[in-house]
């Protein structure tokens, strides 16, 4: 439509605020940011303000914007993304507010133009939506049912990425392990990895997220056998106690999770394993929380993404009794963070003196250690070197490490 980009919100003709609905904190920040646009709109009354994404796919949020944020001209949910130019034209020509957030199970839209940030790493969606209905989670309500892109469409995009010089491709889905179950084709996720692996070129394949309930031995074997597949697995466990896992509707127990970790490590002894954990799920007791701690000590994750439970309107967990205070949950969260940080620090210390093949992916903006890189397993490495190295695989020796990162020298 002839638009360009600006970082200056007072100059913009159109402002698009993209949103997430997974936790309340992000939603509050969105509302704060949208409220702040009152100033820009006052200075430039013809400015069009759009809010899109999962947050506005929730009815109560659309209502809130309708009533309390009159500066917003256009609201559209994830299912309407492909209609953005049409909706924008509607606002421009009809001079009225447009709300496009109909309830929908979603479709797969191909051929939408993509603008990627960066030239080294790329995200590649292989499926949309989620069928799992974990009781705390809003995603299935705002993203619709699981639908897979056709293997040939994914492969065509992957080939384009490799031809354009991308070196690190992350296959994306809420639960990549159920890839293809909704298609007529026989291709499952492990087969898809193999097909991407067969594309000629020097690049890495990563993926997320893998749901433990259907991660298979075939997947681990495929990861081990495909030379381009990173030995990196993000396997969210959420909690270490069986009663909580059941109340979360996760469809696995502690035992099954631990068995899977063991199996994955048998196939890939150098596997980098990360996870997500929710602290303070409604009714989680001290003893139950202790089982999350003991699971983390047992597995020793390379990194953990930890969250305090956030109540989501319309999910089953939102109506479960939740007797524990925010302070109690915060205490548990702090303890878990300490354990996670200690283990990450110890894991990183063990890299010191080793040689790693890394992909140099960007600049840090700092003088000493001006480059950032990732190991095959996805751990962050800070290096010193020329900017020309960006986009190259190099061997480095690891000289230092802390909780957050490794430090190294190009060999
Ligand atoms: N599909 C992925 C996760 C998507 S959401 C999976 O199943 O693993 C990313 C993470 O956010 C989840 O793994 C969970 O740990 C966290 N999360 C989701 N809903 C949450 C909520 N209501 N409160 C706190 N954390 C939540
Ligand atoms: Fe949410 Fe569970 Fe689906 Fe992940 S698998 S998106 S946590 S419902």
């Amino acid at each position: 439509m002839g638009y360009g980009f600006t970082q200056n919100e007072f100059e913009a003709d159109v402002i698009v605020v993209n949103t997430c609905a997974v936790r309340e904190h992000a939603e509050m920040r969105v509302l704060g940011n949208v409220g702040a646009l009152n100033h820009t709109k006052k200075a430039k009354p013809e400015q069009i303000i759009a809010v899109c994404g999962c947050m506005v796919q929730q009815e109560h949020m659309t209502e809130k914007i309708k009533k309390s944020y009159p500066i917003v001209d256009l609201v559209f949910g994830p299912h309407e993304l492909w209609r953005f130019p049409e909706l924008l034209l509607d606002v421009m020509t009809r001079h009225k507010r447009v709300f496009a957030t109909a309830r929908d199970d979603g479709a797969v839209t191909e051929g939408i133009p993509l603008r990627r940030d960066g030239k080294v790493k790329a995200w590649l969606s292989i499926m949309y939506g989620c069928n799992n209905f974990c009781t705390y989670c809003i995603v299935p309500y705002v993203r619709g049912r699981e639908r897979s892109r056709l293997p040939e469409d994914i492969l065509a995009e992957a080939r384009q990425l490799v031809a354009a010089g991308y070196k690190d491709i992350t296959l994306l889905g809420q639960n990549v392990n159920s890839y293809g179950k909704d298609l007529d084709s026989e291709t499952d996720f492990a087969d898809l990895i193999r097909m991407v692996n067969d594309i000629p070129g020097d690049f890495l394949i990563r993926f997320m997220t893998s749901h433990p309930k259907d991660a298979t031995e075939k997947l681990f074997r495929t990861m081990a056998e495909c030379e381009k597949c990173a030995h990196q697995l993000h396997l969210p466990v959420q909690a270490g106690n069986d009663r909580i896992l059941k109340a979360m509707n996760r469809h696995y127990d502690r035992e099954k999770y631990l068995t899977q970790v063991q199996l994955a490590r048998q196939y890939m002894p150098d596997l980098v394993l990360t996870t997500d954990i929710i602290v303070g799920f409604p009714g989680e007791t001290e003893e139950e929380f202790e089982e999350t701690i003991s699971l983390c000590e047992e597995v020793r994750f390379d990194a953990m993404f930890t969250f305090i439970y956030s109540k989501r309107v319309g999910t089953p967990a939102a109506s479960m009794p939740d007797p524990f205070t925010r302070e109690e949950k915060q205490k548990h969260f702090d303890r878990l963070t300490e354990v996670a940080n200690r283990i990450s620090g110890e894991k990183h210390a063990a890299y010191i003196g080793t040689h790693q093949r890394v992909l140099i992916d960007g600049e840090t903006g700092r003088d000493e250690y001006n480059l950032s890189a990732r190991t095959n397993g996805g751990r962050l490495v800070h290096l010193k070197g020329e900017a020309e190295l960006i986009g190259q695989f190099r061997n480095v020796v690891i000289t230092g490490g802390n909780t957050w990162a490794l430090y190294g020298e190009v060999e």
Side-chain angles (χ1 to χ4, degrees):
M1 295 173 85
Y3 284 102
F5 290 91
T6 173
Q7 291 299 320
N8 180 345
E9 64 266 38
F10 285 93
E11 254 174 32
D13 298 308
V14 180
I15 293 182
V16 184
V17 182
N18 194 14
T19 65
C20 175
V22 171
R23 283 172 294 274
E24 190 185 15
H25 181 68
E27 293 189 331
M28 292 301 118
R29 284 187 51 195
V30 167
L31 293 177
N33 280 308
V34 171
L37 296 177
N38 265 314
H39 301 296
T40 65
K41 187 111 172 179
K42 210 173 242 166
K44 193 176 165 90
E46 70 283 11
Q47 185 172 65
I48 294 172
I49 296 176
V51 183
C52 65
C54 293
M55 185 180 107
V56 295
Q57 191 61 35
Q58 306 169 95
E59 228 170 281
H60 68 282
M61 276 298 176
T62 315
E63 284 309 307
K64 196 179 188 111
I65 292 178
K66 234 180 222 167
K67 284 206 193 87
S68 316
Y69 295 82
I71 55 160
V72 175
D73 305 285
L74 169 61
V75 165
F76 60 101
H79 306 310
E80 314 276 358
L81 183 58
W82 62 281
R83 291 178 59 209
F84 177 42
E86 171 199 333
L87 298 169
L88 185 58
L89 192 66
D90 245 18
V91 175
M92 287 161 70
T93 52
R94 290 170 47 207
H95 300 289
K96 55 184 238 195
R97 305 176 84 194
V98 173
F99 288 82
T101 55
R103 265 178 187 255
D104 194 346
D105 280 351
V108 174
T109 48
E110 293 294 347
I112 307 288
L114 268 176
R115 176 182 170 272
R116 295 181 191 276
D117 286 333
K119 297 252 171 283
V120 183
K121 297 197 269 195
W123 304 99
L124 201 175
S125 289
I126 63 164
M127 58 193 299
Y128 306 97
C130 181
N131 290 353
N132 291 313
F133 291 93
C134 302
T135 54
Y136 50 81
C137 183
I138 196 68
V139 170
Y141 302 88
V142 293
R143 279 297 174 116
R145 297 292 63 75
E146 271 175 10
R147 57 243 184 248
S148 305
R149 292 179 70 191
L150 296 173
E152 53 267 36
D153 290 328
I154 297 168
L155 290 173
E157 192 172 334
R159 274 188 218 102
Q160 278 171 13
L161 289 170
V162 173
Y166 286 93
K167 295 281 183 282
D168 183 316
I169 300 177
T170 302
L171 308 177
L172 269 186
Q174 292 299 344
N175 175 14
V176 290
N177 298 327
S178 56
Y179 173 78
K181 288 185 182 161
D182 58 321
L183 297 176
D184 283 338
S185 103
E186 295 285 288
T187 310
D188 66 12
F189 182 58
D191 300 330
L192 187 70
I193 292 184
R194 211 174 273 283
M195 290 161 146
V196 178
N197 190 70
D198 285 343
I199 298 174
D202 193 9
F203 63 96
L204 275 176
I205 306 168
R206 306 185 195 277
F207 58 87
M208 67 187 281
T209 298
S210 218
H211 194 304
K213 83 177 160 68
D214 21 50
T216 57
E217 180 163 5
K218 180 178 173 188
L219 172 69
F220 303 147
R221 192 177 347 110
T222 306
M223 290 173 73
E225 287 173 3
C226 289
E227 74 287 357
K228 291 170 194 157
C229 190
H231 289 182
Q232 173 187 16
L233 186 63
H234 183 60
L235 198 65
V237 65
Q238 314 295 0
N241 168 268
D242 286 345
R243 187 190 75 82
I244 296 293
L245 286 171
K246 201 163 170 56
M248 286 177 162
N249 193 32
R250 288 291 287 181
H251 292 282
Y252 55 85
D253 57 13
R254 180 186 175 103
E255 184 73 32
K256 176 168 175 192
Y257 186 88
L258 291 172
T259 311
Q260 279 193 333
V261 167
Q262 204 182 16
L263 192 62
R265 283 176 167 161
Q266 261 167 31
Y267 279 99
M268 294 165 284
D270 60 344
L271 182 70
V272 167
L273 185 69
T274 58
T275 202
D276 291 345
I277 288 180
I278 296 178
V279 172
F281 182 82
E284 185 184 52
T285 63
E286 186 80 43
E287 293 73 40
E288 288 165 342
F289 168 72
E290 285 303 327
E291 288 195 53
T292 294
I293 297 275
S294 70
L295 181 128
C296 296
E297 296 281 10
E298 194 170 336
V299 175
R300 291 178 61 78
F301 295 103
D302 291 84
M304 289 159 54
F305 300 89
T306 51
F307 310 102
I308 292 186
Y309 168 73
S310 172
K311 187 171 174 169
R312 305 285 70 205
V313 175
T315 60
S319 47
M320 293 179 187
D322 193 2
F324 296 98
T325 62
R326 175 82 199 186
E327 289 66 42
E328 287 168 305
K329 294 183 182 192
Q330 185 69 46
K331 248 174 52 196
H332 287 172
F333 179 82
D334 293 344
R335 236 194 96 207
L336 183 63
T337 309
E338 245 172 62
V339 171
N341 289 351
R342 171 175 52 77
I343 296 173
S344 289
E346 288 166 3
K347 288 236 156 180
H348 280 165
Y351 279 84
I352 298 173
T354 65
H355 300 265
Q356 303 282 329
R357 183 174 186 252
V358 302
L359 173 61
I360 300 170
D361 59 14
E363 287 177 287
T364 60
R366 269 169 279 150
D367 290 344
E368 219 195 346
Y369 298 108
N370 58 320
L371 297 177
S372 66
R374 293 275 168 180
T375 63
N376 174 300
R379 306 316 296 145
L380 175 64
V381 187
H382 292 303
L383 302 168
K384 198 174 171 63
E386 299 302 319
E388 287 86 74
L389 291 174
I390 294 171
Q392 296 185 22
F393 288 100
R394 281 301 170 103
N395 291 324
V396 301
V397 58
I398 303 298
T399 52
N402 56 30
T403 293
W404 316 112
L406 301 168
Y407 295 83
E409 277 166 25
V410 182
E411 294 183 288

